[in-house]
Amino acid sequence: MNSFPPPFTPDLPQSDGPKFVHQAGLLTLNNGFHDAILSKLPTPARNWVESLPWQQRRYVLSLCHLICAASSEAQAEFLDDYTADGVVSKKLEDQEMRQRVKQYLRDFRIETDLSEAVLRTYIRQFYVHSAQDTRRQPDLYLQSALKLVLSSEEGNHVFNYILGFELLKMMFQMSWCQHERLYRLQRNQEEFIQNLIKPIQHAHRINGIIVPKDEGVFFAKRSYFVQQPNIPEKKLLALVIATFTADRTSQFGFGVIRHPNSLAFDYELIFEPEGDSLLL
């Protein structure tokens, strides 16, 4: 007849440190460390975690360990597979915010449709983009992704990111002449140039999209100044991700949504056909 050993109870030292309580086969940590961690969870999640028996708690701990030990790219892929459907469903339910962003896209003459497929693509892209940012701030990636999944206050983050990313794509496809027309419309031109125009034009240069030659010569300058970038979609996405962090992209979109006049825009003026004169 098989017999099983009794539940293991560790021989804990007596000290002023954390106190462990063994109850009903569960080993619980009864001090401030327990509360400090679990208090950060939403109440339903905390109640669920605390109600788990030890065997199921081991599964949760194993998952936590695997996620934390994985590379940022692997974390992004896992979170996409595990959470994207739920996040997409939440975004589809947020009709008010979705309609607001769709209107902004129309105002900027951007034809992207916020369909379910587009939302899912953008959510995965957000995870991947955030993973790229970890080369500079590795501790913030998982935190930002979990906020996106768990916090209702972060629910609009995806829409901020989508609007910001679509605007950056539009600007990457502008000529430098069109950049000048755009920044001349802004109230804070120097900040706009430093934070947006210069990074984009630098990316144009180093990727051979627009290569200035003989910059001091007027007619040579005109030849590249009015050159319209021709960037394949896949490369365009990679350029935006490489040039701007996910957080900076979201902040850009958030600024436009919060203050519609924060980005002055006149489509006819910016995209009017090039004439004989050059903006200087």
Side-chain angles (χ1 to χ4, degrees):
M1 181 174 181
N2 294 332
S3 61
F4 295 93
F8 172 69
T9 304
D11 184 14
L12 299 173
Q14 298 300 316
S15 70
D16 294 330
K19 298 297 189 295
F20 291 84
V21 180
H22 184 266
Q23 293 178 338
L26 300 180
L27 186 66
T28 61
L29 184 61
N30 186 20
N31 67 3
F33 294 111
H34 173 274
D35 290 335
I37 293 176
L38 294 185
S39 64
K40 299 180 184 300
L41 289 172
T43 300
R46 175 173 180 168
N47 292 339
W48 176 77
V49 168
E50 292 181 327
S51 71
L52 294 175
W54 170 237
Q55 183 177 15
Q56 294 180 25
R57 292 188 186 195
R58 288 188 300 169
Y59 302 153
V60 174
L61 292 174
S62 296
L63 179 60
C64 293
H65 171 74
L66 290 173
I67 292 177
C68 292
S71 67
S72 297
E73 291 76 7
Q75 289 181 14
E77 184 175 353
F78 169 78
L79 286 168
D80 172 62
D81 292 338
Y82 198 68
T83 67
D85 287 338
V87 176
V88 168
S89 297
K90 288 174 62 178
K91 298 305 103 187
L92 292 174
E93 291 172 1
D94 191 353
Q95 289 296 324
E96 180 181 355
M97 190 63 179
R98 187 181 178 195
Q99 290 301 322
R100 287 181 65 188
V101 173
K102 288 175 71 173
Q103 184 58 54
Y104 285 123
L105 293 175
R106 285 194 291 266
D107 292 343
F108 290 106
R109 308 287 184 92
I110 297 172
E111 298 181 356
T112 300
D113 179 28
L114 296 184
S115 64
E116 180 176 348
V118 169
L119 285 175
R120 183 181 178 92
T121 298
Y122 256 116
I123 289 168
R124 176 174 177 78
Q125 180 181 300
F126 172 79
Y127 291 148
V128 174
H129 197 166
S130 297
Q132 296 290 328
D133 296 351
T134 61
R135 296 169 185 173
R136 291 174 287 274
Q137 296 178 302
D139 297 337
L140 298 183
Y141 168 63
L142 188 57
Q143 176 183 345
S144 65
L146 289 175
K147 280 184 177 181
L148 179 65
V149 174
L150 296 175
S151 173
S152 59
E153 295 179 359
E154 294 284 330
N156 292 336
H157 202 64
V158 170
F159 286 117
N160 296 336
Y161 176 82
I162 291 173
L163 180 58
F165 201 92
E166 288 291 331
L167 289 172
L168 291 173
K169 283 171 58 180
M170 176 186 70
M171 294 171 64
F172 258 95
Q173 297 174 93
M174 288 181 178
S175 70
W176 290 12
C177 179
Q178 290 165 346
H179 282 165
E180 181 166 302
R181 292 171 180 172
L182 176 61
Y183 84 68
R184 285 187 178 276
L185 296 174
Q186 311 309 312
R187 287 189 295 180
N188 193 334
Q189 295 180 1
E190 184 59 28
E191 180 180 346
F192 191 80
I193 292 171
Q194 294 297 327
N195 293 339
L196 295 169
I197 300 300
K198 283 192 173 181
I200 291 173
Q201 293 188 354
H202 178 68
H204 281 170
R205 287 174 183 258
I206 64 175
N207 288 278
I209 296 168
I210 296 178
V211 182
K213 297 179 180 178
D214 302 321
E215 294 186 55
V217 179
F218 177 79
F219 289 106
K221 180 178 181 180
R222 176 177 174 79
S223 67
Y224 72 80
F225 195 66
V226 299
Q227 179 183 341
Q228 202 73 42
N230 182 16
I231 311 174
E233 181 68 15
K234 187 175 181 179
K235 184 173 183 179
L236 178 60
L237 298 180
L239 284 172
V240 178
I241 290 174
T243 306
F244 298 96
T245 66
D247 187 57
R248 180 70 186 90
T249 303
S250 298
Q251 288 177 359
F252 185 30
F254 173 75
V256 174
I257 292 174
R258 187 176 183 182
H259 301 291
N261 295 326
S262 64
L263 179 62
F265 189 78
D266 184 328
Y267 184 89
E268 283 72 22
L269 174 63
I270 295 168
F271 293 100
E272 67 179 356
E274 309 296 346
D276 294 331
S277 61
L278 177 67
L279 292 174
L280 298 176

